[in-house]
Amino acid sequence: MSESDGEKHRDYLFGDPALYVNELVRAAVASGASFVDVKMDADDMILRFDGLPYRPEDLGRLFEYLPADDPERRRLRYLALAILNARALNPKFLTLESGGPDFAHRIRFDSAGEALAETIASWEGAAGTRVHLKERMGLKVMAEATFWKNPEEKILVDQCRFAPIAVRLNGRDLREAPGPAAVVRKAFELDGFRGALALDWTAKPVPGRITFCQDGVKLWEWEAPTGDWQNMVAFIDSPLFASDADSGGIRRDEFYREAMDLLTLQFRALLMTWLRQELLESDGRAPKNRLGKAQRLAGLRAAARVFLRASESGPLPPALEALLDVQNLVQLALSWPHTSSLRPFWNSARDQGLVRVASRNYPVSDHDLGVFRLQWGIKVVALGPSDLLQTVFAECLEFVDAELRQISRQKGYEIVEGLKIGQFRPKLTRDQALVQIEVSEGKSWGQAGLSAQVPEQAGVKVTFLRHGRFVATEFIEDAKFCGTILVETGDFWWGLGSTEASTQAKSHGEAIALIADLAPDLLHALCEQIPEPPPPASLMRQRCWQAGKEQDCEQTDIGLNWAHDSRATMARWHIDRILPANFSKLDDWPSWLRYWPLFFRLDGSAVSLAWLLAGPEAPIRYVYLAPWGHDFFDVEVLNLSTRQVDFLKTLFGSRLSNYSTRLRLRRADT
């Protein structure tokens, strides 16, 4: 195996030669190893694994296996790719040893690239393979080891998480389960594929993520289109996967299609398992996963999109029958919107082949529907069309905006809920708004509030009134908060002449101008009502670290005394969205906001922006979604969510220092 042999196969060099460590892990898996052990420092990388050793005659013509597609010889191809790319790093030397009780062989490449092969007299220990790469010491190597991770270390951590065997880096096993905060998981080994899936519900739908692996190493990560495999995190591993050089992804061959079919079946099975647990097996007790209301509803809506099709006949399984009766899945198209279950729409689709839908809210009561019930044959009209309605009812949707608009104009419907008719002063109810403030602009005045529940769409719903009577509703998507405004608009009225139209346009502009600067005032009102908000939901789900292990916080003496009621958690939801949209510069922060405890240290104690500003030159150390603890290290480090990390980076830039790796290493040593 000469240097010229390697020159013939330059097409097999990777863009980053440090990826040779991936091929060594693949070679270990293909050799039937039970572990891969990597020792790494500034200039040394020593990797060893057990399993079937490489015979001297194979090592002597190793590069001949580079173009081989034979699955039985893939371990030879992996090793050839690893050696070829490791040599491209121009190391000081590279040594490959492999053997067992019957034979042992060594090949050493020196700094000039010359190869020296020799027989090892005796092999100690179990059969296996050992690779030692010694880099040339220089400023780049020292800087990487001192200030950053070695490139090989980053690659192993990122791409060997789902290996079927232990991959230890300086004693730390790099494997992890998909979806660390998942509510339910499922592993499988079928038809030559190995993998696992997890459901990780969030308040809003997020696309599914699938990691494709080849012999335990990540080949490609794919984010599913919105709506497909919602909130699923999964990996699937097969030696038959192949990369596609043109697309940079995975080759879409028969093995890929078979894998996708298998994942689809496994996802449906996992989702049905969670659905049965949530609706049929809880016995009225609080679920162990501690899902919030919004997260639970997001999961149930996803299950409905996957399993329910009104066009399909036949009885439903018990879990799906129970799903039809879950409240708050569908919003009704009334001026004071409330929510309902899927049951009435399901029955209407089955009986009449129709589901009535309106594109926006209308000020129509049950009484006002009156005779129209006989015409429509149903008491409820859905607000949509949402993804849920479009998926479940497909061709059954019938829009009734014209009829509802006619009723609302004929009736001149007077909004009475939460409205003081005598003075024509609109007032939001507690169910509509978490906090409220009075607003005025020109001849427009009323109340504005933050949403009391997680909205399906971010923005502000403005309801225009004149003398307490409904005029119109408008949804403003680009507002800097999520909420509701009831505004009495003075001269604003539907008119046909040019004068009326001009007056209407002016009053409409005044009303919309109310929105521009309301976010800070609403946040101040929130601060007064919720002086000690809890952490974000993703942090509240984290467990605790005590006595050298991760465990439920209730079983530890770490005092996490946060408010868990719905108003407090909804307050945090608004805080995490209003701050980045309105206070992206430190100079914008008023004094009350600087001393509001919005961030949390790793021991669970809350701190304010003023605490972060106490040392203007000192780094702000943080970890990302880590288990809570209470030793001396934990009181000096922030525990942050994804939104908080992104937000603080805009405020402090390079002062923000990630201590996640140090924390894991510290805890691994305890």
Side-chain angles (χ1 to χ4, degrees):
M1 185 168 57
S2 65
E3 181 71 18
S4 61
D5 293 326
E7 293 295 335
K8 297 176 184 177
H9 301 287
R10 306 304 289 181
D11 291 342
Y12 293 95
L13 285 174
F14 303 137
D16 181 2
L19 291 169
Y20 76 89
V21 291
N22 278 349
E23 303 307 313
L24 290 176
V25 174
R26 288 191 174 110
V29 173
S31 297
S34 63
F35 70 87
V36 175
D37 190 73
V38 185
K39 303 292 185 185
M40 190 174 295
D41 58 21
D43 58 344
D44 282 288
M45 191 293 303
I46 301 174
L47 182 147
R48 66 182 182 90
F49 55 87
D50 60 352
L52 183 65
Y54 292 88
R55 303 192 67 83
E57 55 268 29
D58 289 329
L59 295 180
R61 53 192 181 95
L62 191 59
F63 288 163
E64 296 179 15
Y65 297 107
L66 281 171
D69 290 330
D70 185 356
E72 298 300 321
R73 294 186 174 183
R74 69 185 191 277
R75 73 188 199 99
L76 296 167
R77 185 175 190 273
Y78 292 149
L79 186 63
L81 286 169
I83 297 302
L84 183 67
N85 282 274
R87 289 171 61 189
L89 291 170
N90 192 24
K92 188 174 182 180
F93 67 80
L94 172 64
T95 301
L96 167 63
E97 298 175 347
S98 189
D102 300 329
F103 63 88
H105 199 66
R106 176 188 297 119
I107 298 178
R108 177 184 172 92
F109 299 91
D110 60 20
S111 58
E114 297 297 326
L116 174 63
E118 59 182 338
T119 300
I120 301 175
S122 63
W123 183 271
E124 296 182 1
T129 302
R130 180 177 180 269
V131 177
H132 182 188
L133 183 142
K134 180 79 170 181
E135 292 202 69
R136 300 174 188 272
M137 185 59 72
L139 291 178
K140 179 176 180 296
V141 173
M142 289 296 296
E144 287 175 348
T146 304
F147 301 105
W148 309 288
K149 295 179 180 178
N150 293 322
E152 294 94 332
E153 183 178 353
K154 294 179 181 178
I155 291 168
L156 288 169
V157 170
D158 175 62
Q159 303 192 23
C160 297
R161 294 174 293 142
F162 304 131
I165 60 176
V167 179
R168 297 188 291 265
L169 175 61
N170 293 331
R172 179 168 63 99
D173 195 338
L174 300 180
R175 293 175 299 172
E176 63 181 46
V183 296
V184 63
R185 292 189 180 89
K186 177 180 175 62
F188 63 88
E189 287 193 37
L190 292 169
D191 303 328
F193 296 97
R194 178 189 66 89
L197 306 89
L199 292 176
D200 188 2
W201 297 125
T202 56
K204 289 188 176 181
V206 297
R209 298 192 314 278
I210 303 173
T211 302
F212 292 87
C213 300
Q214 182 186 49
D215 277 316
V217 179
K218 182 171 77 173
L219 189 64
W220 182 50
E221 190 170 80
W222 180 64
E223 185 174 282
T226 303
D228 292 348
W229 294 318
Q230 178 186 319
N231 293 78
M232 182 192 77
V233 183
F235 79 88
I236 187 166
D237 186 0
S238 171
L240 301 178
F241 288 145
S243 59
D244 187 338
D246 294 332
S247 67
I250 191 172
R251 188 183 300 163
R252 307 297 179 92
D253 53 18
E254 65 272 19
F255 303 113
Y256 168 81
R257 291 189 290 271
E258 187 178 348
M260 297 298 282
D261 291 342
L262 179 59
L263 279 174
T264 299
L265 293 175
Q266 294 295 322
F267 172 62
R268 290 176 66 90
L270 181 66
L271 188 57
M272 181 58 76
T273 297
W274 175 78
L275 193 62
R276 285 195 296 265
Q277 292 174 355
E278 192 70 27
L279 298 182
L280 302 180
E281 301 172 10
S282 63
D283 296 329
R285 294 172 293 182
K288 294 180 180 179
N289 51 47
R290 295 184 294 182
L291 280 178
K293 180 180 178 182
Q295 294 170 296
R296 180 176 183 270
L297 288 177
L300 294 174
R301 289 191 181 103
R305 281 194 293 269
V306 170
F307 294 116
L308 292 177
R309 294 293 183 275
S311 58
E312 297 177 2
S313 59
L316 294 176
L320 297 185
E321 281 288 349
L323 181 59
L324 289 178
D325 294 318
V326 173
Q327 294 297 311
N328 301 325
L329 290 188
V330 181
Q331 189 173 358
L332 303 188
L334 301 176
S335 172
W336 303 102
H338 56 280
T339 50
S340 179
S341 70
L342 282 167
R343 177 70 69 179
F345 303 102
W346 184 265
N347 292 341
S348 177
R350 289 293 182 91
D351 297 340
Q352 305 176 44
L354 290 175
V355 171
R356 274 73 181 186
V357 180
S359 60
R360 65 175 178 84
N361 292 327
Y362 287 90
V364 178
S365 68
D366 286 344
H367 173 74
D368 291 326
L369 286 174
V371 68
F372 284 89
R373 287 187 187 170
L374 300 178
Q375 178 182 337
W376 294 344
I378 191 170
K379 296 181 180 180
V380 289
V381 178
L383 177 64
S386 65
D387 288 343
L388 177 61
L389 294 173
Q390 287 180 328
T391 302
V392 175
F393 301 107
E395 305 299 326
C396 299
L397 300 182
E398 179 187 74
F399 284 87
V400 292
D401 290 81
E403 290 89 339
L404 289 175
R405 197 156 43 238
Q406 178 186 357
I407 298 173
S408 62
R409 289 184 179 179
Q410 285 178 348
K411 291 287 184 179
Y413 183 69
E414 196 167 297
I415 301 176
V416 295
E417 292 185 41
L419 175 64
K420 297 180 180 178
I421 298 295
Q423 299 180 7
F424 307 117
R425 183 168 296 276
K427 186 176 180 62
L428 294 169
T429 66
R430 184 182 178 92
D431 292 336
Q432 291 176 284
L434 189 66
V435 293
Q436 309 93 26
I437 60 173
E438 298 290 332
V439 296
S440 64
E441 180 74 24
K443 294 184 178 181
S444 300
W445 44 266
Q447 275 202 337
L450 296 175
S451 302
Q453 297 180 353
V454 176
E456 292 186 1
Q457 185 178 6
V460 177
K461 188 183 79 171
V462 185
T463 298
F464 300 101
L465 310 174
R466 183 176 185 270
H467 301 314
R469 295 179 181 272
F470 173 84
V471 176
T473 296
E474 185 168 338
F475 189 81
I476 311 298
E477 294 186 19
D478 57 351
K480 293 185 177 181
F481 66 97
C482 295
T484 302
I485 295 180
L486 284 179
V487 56
E488 171 68 36
T489 54
D491 295 331
F492 187 41
W493 188 245
W494 298 108
L496 300 176
S498 58
T499 304
E500 291 85 350
S502 175
T503 302
Q504 173 181 314
K506 179 180 178 181
S507 296
H508 176 267
E510 290 179 351
I512 297 303
L514 292 172
I515 299 174
D517 302 317
L518 288 182
D521 294 333
L522 286 167
L523 194 64
H524 193 189
L526 197 61
C527 175
E528 293 177 344
Q529 291 199 22
I530 314 289
E532 297 180 357
S538 57
L539 286 174
M540 294 182 71
R541 290 195 299 269
Q542 298 304 309
R543 304 176 76 193
C544 289
W545 183 273
Q546 192 173 57
K549 63 179 180 179
E550 187 177 326
Q551 50 191 306
D552 292 338
C553 294
E554 292 82 357
Q555 300 172 1
T556 70
D557 59 359
I558 302 175
L560 302 179
N561 300 318
W562 304 316
H564 289 78
D565 62 276
S566 59
R567 289 180 62 78
T569 54
M570 195 62 207
R572 167 53 70 177
W573 188 91
H574 283 293
I575 290 168
D576 290 338
R577 285 153 181 79
I578 293 177
L579 284 180
N582 298 271
F583 299 96
S584 58
K585 297 180 181 179
L586 288 174
D587 294 341
D588 297 336
W589 286 56
S591 59
W592 61 266
L593 186 54
R594 289 177 178 243
Y595 288 94
W596 196 11
L598 300 178
F599 308 100
F600 289 81
R601 293 181 287 201
L602 199 51
D603 67 341
S605 58
V607 296
S608 64
L609 179 74
W611 183 81
L612 301 180
L613 294 172
E617 303 299 327
I620 299 174
R621 297 180 291 182
Y622 78 93
V623 293
Y624 169 71
L625 295 178
W628 304 95
H630 65 172
D631 64 18
F632 69 95
F633 180 85
D634 299 330
V635 299
E636 299 297 331
V637 179
L638 296 178
N639 199 5
L640 301 178
S641 67
T642 304
R643 284 181 178 272
Q644 289 179 318
V645 171
D646 294 340
F647 176 54
L648 289 182
K649 282 181 179 178
T650 64
L651 292 179
F652 297 105
S654 59
R655 279 191 60 196
L656 215 60
S657 179
N658 191 340
Y659 267 54
S660 297
T661 301
R662 296 195 184 186
L663 176 65
R664 286 195 296 268
L665 293 175
R666 279 188 65 256
R667 289 180 171 177
D669 292 338
T670 59

